[in-house]
Amino acid sequence: MLHFTRKIDQSPEAVPTVTLTRDQRLRSRLRVVLDDGREAGILLPRGTTLRDGDGLMSEDGLVVRVRAAAECLSRADCTDPLVLARVCYHLGNRHVAVQIEPGRLSYLHDHVLDDLVRGLGLLVVVDHGPFEPESGAYGGQSHAHAHAHGHAHDH
């Protein structure tokens, strides 16, 4: 079995690929199947986050390109920057990983969060696509869970 032990920033286009969900791209130890069917292991330093387009190098020099898997997402478009900021604030206050793009936000689909976002005035649609959330203010990993929970924050 192949063992990938090193992350490289970019990989050439014409190499084998491995398609991983966001949760899988946050794990440093993982058994995977490359898109061509070969089994492999990912053994990276703790805290390594893989992004779409990153490369992995095996012990014997084989390079594969990481692809972000399509996941079930909730998306909301918004032309009002203040409303978009308010929604991002409330999702972040619940430790939800959010992908922020101009006029749009996405998070892993969750009906409770959808209700929250609708309550703040946005239309939510369920979609499938790659999920690349913000990595956080200090460059660390964002939380991989997308659920509301009951602890209060007093800011």
Side-chain angles (χ1 to χ4, degrees):
M1 177 171 32
L2 297 167
H3 288 104
F4 294 97
T5 57
R6 206 170 105 207
K7 174 184 167 188
I8 56 177
D9 289 332
Q10 290 290 322
S11 67
E13 290 294 319
V15 296
T17 57
V18 60
T19 302
L20 304 172
T21 65
R22 179 62 182 162
D23 277 347
Q24 290 172 314
R25 288 181 283 130
L26 291 174
R27 297 181 56 193
S28 57
R29 302 279 187 267
L30 183 66
R31 188 175 197 153
V32 299
V33 176
L34 303 183
D35 295 340
D36 65 12
R38 288 182 282 175
E39 290 188 12
I42 297 175
L43 308 164
L44 300 172
R46 286 193 182 281
T48 302
T49 298
L50 297 172
R51 299 189 65 85
D52 188 69
D54 281 347
L56 293 172
M57 185 176 288
S58 71
E59 296 161 327
D60 62 355
L62 176 69
V63 173
V64 299
R65 185 167 44 95
V66 174
R67 299 186 64 189
E71 300 188 62
C72 187
L73 303 175
S74 293
R75 294 190 192 269
D77 292 328
C78 182
T79 58
D80 184 333
L82 181 60
V83 172
L84 187 65
R86 183 175 287 123
V87 172
C88 289
Y89 168 81
H90 285 286
L91 291 171
N93 201 34
R94 286 160 180 77
H95 308 286
V96 175
V98 178
Q99 179 175 327
I100 304 168
E101 302 167 89
R104 169 180 281 178
L105 63 90
S106 304
Y107 50 90
L108 292 174
H109 176 65
D110 181 299
H111 68 90
V112 173
L113 296 174
D114 292 351
D115 289 343
L116 171 99
V117 172
R118 285 185 194 105
L120 293 167
L122 296 184
L123 174 67
V124 176
V125 296
V126 177
D127 196 6
H128 285 81
F131 185 51
E132 290 284 355
E134 294 294 311
S135 62
Y138 302 102
Q141 298 175 9
S142 56
H143 293 292
H145 64 281
H147 64 269
H149 46 89
H151 70 272
H153 292 276
D154 197 15
H155 298 284

